[in-house]
Amino acid sequence: MYEGFNWLTFIIGLPLGLLIVFAALFIQKRILQKKRAYDERYITIQVYARSTGWQVTTGAIIIAWIYILLTEPIGSAFFVITFLWIAHQMGYLIGAIRANAKN
């Protein structure tokens, strides 16, 4: 932390920012439901977009992992990327289990 870090601003700003984001998402979802935007086409596009995003994130994590292994001694950066990889794959596993249970 640097000397000018204001904890009060952080403690007030973080929950306020999260509240604004969740309120905006809630309002957006309500508006889209009224316009009947959650049809089969919308869901197909969203699934494809998430799948592509997942593939790009997997590639980026692997590239970052290799870069860290080649340029840094094994330390905190290595373990952060390893944890990120494990969390990423566990999310995929949970999603696959849920999708299998629904279909």
Side-chain angles (χ1 to χ4, degrees):
M1 297 281 173
Y2 66 96
E3 288 182 24
F5 189 77
N6 189 346
W7 278 100
L8 181 62
T9 305
F10 174 76
I11 290 176
I12 293 172
L14 184 64
L16 184 62
L18 289 173
L19 183 67
I20 291 170
V21 166
F22 286 126
L25 289 174
F26 178 75
I27 292 169
Q28 176 192 14
K29 186 174 181 175
R30 295 283 303 243
I31 291 171
L32 288 174
Q33 283 176 340
K34 286 181 182 178
K35 292 182 178 181
R36 306 220 187 274
Y38 288 119
D39 59 355
E40 185 178 329
R41 181 176 173 266
Y42 174 83
I43 292 171
T44 303
I45 291 169
Q46 294 303 313
V47 168
Y48 180 76
R50 266 187 248 123
S51 175
T52 303
W54 198 270
Q55 292 165 355
V56 169
T57 303
T58 300
I61 291 173
I62 291 172
I63 291 169
W65 204 3
I66 291 170
Y67 175 77
I68 288 172
L69 284 173
L70 294 175
T71 60
E72 304 275 333
I74 292 182
S76 62
F78 171 77
F79 291 111
V80 168
I81 291 293
T82 301
F83 173 76
L84 186 61
W85 176 257
I86 291 170
H88 181 70
Q89 293 303 318
M90 290 303 292
Y92 179 78
L93 177 67
I94 291 168
I97 290 171
R98 287 182 62 205
N100 254 347
K102 286 184 178 179
N103 297 322

